[in-house]
Amino acid sequence: MEQKHPLPPFTLETAMEKIQLAEDAWNSQDPEKVSKAYTINSEWRNRDTFVNGREDIVAFLQKKWEREFNYKLKKEYWAHTENRIAVRFEYEYQTKDGNWFRAYGNENWEFDENGLMAKRYASINDLAIQEKDRKFR
């Protein structure tokens, strides 16, 4: 049976651990690695895009990181319950034409009993920034 520790029900400590694991995986920019944290039929809403299942997650992330260079993400704990975690995040990236952006948002996560994320709902806004204004290097 596939499991991804820590498992629910979450404590503050295990919720924080789950958040750090997600941040590290996303910063690897490895779509296959990231997809392993989700159930095979995971449901996503990412901005205005709906993604269903690991294969779609991999394809979505491959496209994302083909457009977003010098990607760096930071996640911050917001709240948790037994099998849910809410985070706020921001990340910076550069487009192929050299423009920099910082994306801000919130994510709501729901996990199955094996610690795999079954649902991920992300609301995200982008802000154009100057390279000198970057927070993450």
Side-chain angles (χ1 to χ4, degrees):
M1 182 179 307
E2 187 177 16
Q3 290 189 323
K4 195 74 163 176
H5 290 268
L7 304 177
F10 297 116
T11 64
L12 176 59
E13 181 179 285
T14 60
M16 299 285 284
E17 181 181 349
K18 201 68 142 171
I19 292 165
Q20 188 62 58
L21 289 167
E23 179 182 306
D24 293 346
W26 280 70
N27 279 325
S28 77
Q29 297 179 53
D30 180 341
E32 289 289 337
K33 178 180 181 175
V34 173
S35 75
K36 301 296 187 213
Y38 300 89
T39 62
I40 290 186
N41 59 351
S42 185
E43 296 176 21
W44 281 24
R45 182 185 56 75
N46 193 90
R47 301 175 194 263
D48 61 349
T49 302
F50 294 83
V51 178
N52 291 289
R54 280 189 187 162
E55 287 183 25
D56 286 352
I57 289 169
V58 169
F60 174 86
L61 292 174
Q62 285 172 335
K63 287 181 193 171
K64 172 184 178 62
W65 289 317
E66 287 172 3
R67 298 183 314 267
E68 297 179 2
F69 304 100
N70 299 307
Y71 177 92
K72 179 68 174 170
L73 166 73
K74 296 296 282 179
K75 291 185 181 284
E76 178 184 332
Y77 172 85
W78 197 258
H80 78 280
T81 61
E82 290 186 6
N83 72 327
R84 294 180 174 171
I85 299 174
V87 299
R88 77 166 284 289
F89 64 87
E90 54 187 322
Y91 65 89
E92 294 175 347
Y93 65 93
Q94 185 179 32
T95 59
K96 66 180 171 184
D97 58 1
N99 294 318
W100 283 94
F101 290 87
R102 184 175 305 120
Y104 297 94
N106 300 295
E107 290 179 322
N108 296 312
W109 302 340
E110 184 176 298
F111 295 86
D112 72 5
E113 65 278 0
N114 294 309
L116 296 167
M117 196 181 300
K119 296 181 181 177
R120 174 187 172 265
Y121 301 112
S123 298
I124 307 167
N125 298 297
D126 292 300
L127 174 68
I129 61 172
Q130 298 296 314
E131 184 172 9
K132 67 178 178 55
D133 296 325
R134 290 176 55 207
K135 289 183 180 181
F136 312 128
R137 305 233 176 225

